[in-house]
């Protein structure tokens, strides 16, 4: 668990504030803030509500207990995670602003820009990885491989995945599976819904995807193959590939809140 001083330092930096700026808002000396963050002493108990208000958190959070106490409903996790990513990207982009009023104004404009313009993006691109956000899409958090980005381009086994994603018939089948929520089906059922004529080709693609549990059963002397969608985690990876493939194809270089440590630093 973090000390209160460590938590104050983290929250202050997250909001792009200097020790002097925080001290000015509270009405104490910069040396006092420095002592708190260095664990030399603690802020007076009467200042805890003030600090919580400045950092827009609970007093429990100042003591490092927020993560222990916080509970989140599954239906709110996505929005909260996306919101947290967007806030972090903005805090990094405006980290050089010293005055709290200017920082607060910049963050308000940043949030409004992301929500009002569907094509507006925010990103931090550094040598260790990439954090990227667009309101309609969500977020991309990507760590740089230990061996470097170039390793991604020579991984074996990707041709099969990319060929599946690029195959119109396969995408058409998955489109119908998602639209009609077909978790269990036969090839004939799926083909009739999609208007796909060639059974052998579709069968091969579905089985190559390894998204389904395939089972052949005997029905009155006839062999019927059934498919059950079981690899939901793997399907989510495929949805990510398709989402960011579309993002790449439709990319527009519009950013509000952007930091990059240089192209060379990113790709090295």
């Amino acid at each position: 668990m973090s000390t209160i001083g460590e938590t104050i330092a983290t929250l202050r930096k997250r909001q792009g504030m200097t020790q002097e700026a925080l001290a000015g808002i509270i009405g104490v000396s910069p040396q006092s803030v420095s002592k708190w963050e260095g664990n030399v002493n603690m802020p007076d108990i009467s200042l805890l509500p003030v600090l919580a208000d400045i950092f827009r958190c609970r007093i429990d959070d100042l003591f490092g207990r927020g993560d222990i106490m916080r509970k989140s409903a599954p239906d709110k996790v996505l929005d909260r995670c996306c919101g947290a990513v967007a806030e972090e990207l903005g805090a990094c982009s405006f980290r050089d602003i010293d005055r709290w009023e200017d920082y607060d104004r910049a963050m308000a404009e940043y949030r409004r820009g992301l929500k009002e313009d569907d094509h507006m993006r925010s990103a931090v691109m550094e040598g260790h990885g990439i954090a990227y956000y667009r309101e309609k899409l969500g977020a991309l958090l990507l760590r740089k491989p230990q061996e470097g980005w170039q390793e991604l381009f020579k991984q074996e086994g990707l041709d099969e995945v990319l060929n599946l994603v690029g195959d119109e018939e396969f995408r058409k089948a998955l489109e119908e599976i998602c639209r009609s929520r077909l978790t269990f089906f036969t090839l004939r059922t799926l083909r009739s819904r999609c208007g796909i004529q060639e059974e052998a080709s579709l069968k091969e693609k579905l089985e190559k995807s390894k998204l389904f549990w395939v089972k052949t059963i005997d029905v009155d002397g006839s062999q019927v193959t059934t498919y059950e969608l079981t690899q939901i985690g793997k399907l989510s990876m495929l949805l990510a590939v398709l989402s960011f493939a579309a993002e790449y194809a439709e990319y527009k270089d519009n950013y509000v809140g952007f930091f990059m440590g240089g192209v060379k630093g990113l790709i090295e």
Side-chain angles (χ1 to χ4, degrees), residues 169-181:
E169 189 176 80
F170 177 72
R171 294 202 313 272
K172 191 174 183 180
L174 282 187
E175 177 188 357
E176 182 58 35
I177 288 169
C178 291
R179 177 176 30 239
S180 301
R181 301 179 182 178

Side-chain angles (χ1 to χ4, degrees), residues 178-228:
C178 291
R179 177 176 30 239
S180 301
R181 301 179 182 178
L182 294 176
T183 58
F184 191 90
F185 56 89
T186 65
L187 271 180
R188 178 170 292 184
T189 302
L190 183 60
R191 285 174 51 227
S192 65
R193 286 174 175 267
C194 297
I196 296 174
Q197 302 299 319
E198 180 56 48
E199 179 174 314
S201 175
L202 179 59
K203 179 177 184 295
E204 180 184 8
K205 292 164 189 173
L206 292 178
E207 294 180 8
K208 270 187 176 181
S209 74
K210 297 179 182 177
L211 292 171
F212 310 94
W213 182 38
V214 184
K215 183 180 179 181
T216 300
I217 58 177
D218 184 90
V219 180
D220 298 329
S222 298
Q223 300 297 305
V224 178
T225 301
T226 61
Y227 294 79
E228 183 178 2

